[in-house]
Amino acid sequence: MIRRPAAGIVLIVEDHLLVQITATARIEDAGLSTLVAGDADEAMAILTSRDDVAAVFTDIDMPGSMDGLALAAIIRRRWPQIQVVVTSGQRPSKAAGLPDGVAFFRSPTTIRTW
């Protein structure tokens, strides 16, 4: 079960603009603040420069130097206090490689699944 972050920001890591906008709107409608990154490299830059990110919502398939699974693994090692949700509509079988404590949702998701 995913716990709602008590405080802080949800970082949405998504390269598809419409999915990015939808996820941002749904998370903000739930009363949480958001930041957006277009890929894992941008997400890493945000995570290393801020200490108020409470959760990361990331797609698996993205451009850049790493995918969402690799990003999730780095977050679990460097920032174990940050909750991570990984999503994919194309390759849900890749969820078998998730690090401990990382949730997976098949896209499209709804905020009620949180």
Side-chain angles (χ1 to χ4, degrees), residues 21-69:
I21 291 167
T22 301
T24 299
R26 289 186 175 181
I27 291 169
E28 289 178 353
D29 285 349
L32 300 169
S33 298
T34 61
L35 290 172
V36 176
D39 60 33
D41 298 316
E42 188 178 350
M44 286 298 297
I46 291 169
L47 290 167
T48 57
S49 68
R50 300 182 68 115
D51 63 0
D52 57 350
V53 175
V56 173
F57 181 85
T58 184
D59 189 18
I60 289 179
D61 297 310
M62 292 181 290
S65 68
M66 69 182 102
D67 65 12
L69 292 174

